[in-house]
Amino acid sequence: MSRFLDLTKGAIRVMLTGASGREVVLYRVRPGEVCLQTFSCLVDGHSYGAEGIVEADIEGILIPAAQFRQQLEDDATFRQKVLSSVALRFAEYQQLVEDVALTGFDARLAKALLRLADEGVVHATHAALAAETASGRAYVTRRLAVFADKGVVEQMPDGIAIKDKRALEQIAADPR
């Protein structure tokens, strides 16, 4: 039975896996946000095309499909919350397409490193960074080696330390 998750705590990473096994992170769902996969399933009966992976312990309210549709119809506040979240998610999709199609890989990798950094360290595997940047693991490894040679990052056994945040921000801002 399909249900809508009204998330109040935690985070869910939504990923798409291709036939080749390559993965790409589509977006993350945080409290107050809508998963487009779930929304599509509940509104149009489409099946899920992606997978949700809990990144941080979650809490929320599961709303059955019929109740979700009724609340959308009857509750203007709920409807506005859902529609605003869908609009935000659409903008994120648009940005993802723009990044993949029109932004150079180094900028995408730099943006991912900055976004995932926790106190200057990114605790992600090269495979996870490949999923974040819609690329391959081997390419991430090669480009991280170049970043390290330039003194921008340092690869460590437990992650990637950002050594020159300003340089990384400049790389992220360069669309080439």
Side-chain angles (χ1 to χ4, degrees):
M1 176 168 169
S2 297
R3 294 187 174 142
F4 176 80
L5 174 61
D6 190 358
L7 194 64
T8 57
K9 177 184 169 192
I12 301 169
R13 180 178 65 238
V14 180
M15 299 180 62
L16 187 61
T17 304
S20 67
R22 218 164 113 191
E23 300 175 324
V24 63
V25 174
L26 299 175
Y27 51 85
R28 284 174 170 78
V29 180
R30 293 182 178 86
E33 297 178 350
V34 170
C35 173
L36 284 183
Q37 301 296 312
T38 302
F39 182 78
S40 177
C41 180
L42 291 172
V43 171
D44 288 334
H46 292 135
S47 61
Y48 290 96
E51 173 182 25
I53 300 166
V54 173
E55 288 188 317
D57 289 345
I58 63 170
E59 290 180 10
I61 301 166
L62 283 174
I63 303 171
Q67 183 182 339
F68 171 78
R69 286 190 290 277
Q70 192 65 50
Q71 257 187 283
L72 271 182
E73 194 172 309
D74 297 343
D75 185 340
T77 302
F78 180 76
R79 181 174 50 250
Q80 185 58 45
K81 174 184 164 183
V82 170
L83 292 177
S84 292
S85 184
V86 168
L88 172 67
R89 193 65 69 217
F90 179 75
E92 290 174 343
Y93 261 128
Q94 192 173 6
Q95 185 64 53
L96 175 65
V97 170
E98 182 180 320
D99 284 349
V100 171
L102 305 173
T103 302
F105 179 75
D106 283 2
R108 290 197 328 262
L109 180 57
K111 286 178 186 178
L113 292 170
L114 290 165
R115 183 177 62 250
L116 297 172
D118 182 19
E119 296 184 20
V121 178
V122 177
H123 298 284
T125 65
H126 291 193
L129 288 170
E132 291 285 341
T133 58
S135 65
R137 187 205 49 78
Y139 195 59
V140 167
T141 299
R142 286 194 300 273
R143 297 314 299 164
L144 283 173
V146 170
F147 285 12
D149 288 344
K150 293 179 179 180
V152 177
V153 301
E154 178 184 347
Q155 297 189 67
M156 305 179 315
D158 66 335
I160 301 152
I162 297 174
K163 298 310 243 179
D164 188 343
K165 185 177 179 185
R166 186 163 183 214
L168 199 58
E169 289 169 339
Q170 287 175 336
I171 293 167
D174 185 354
R176 291 181 276 138

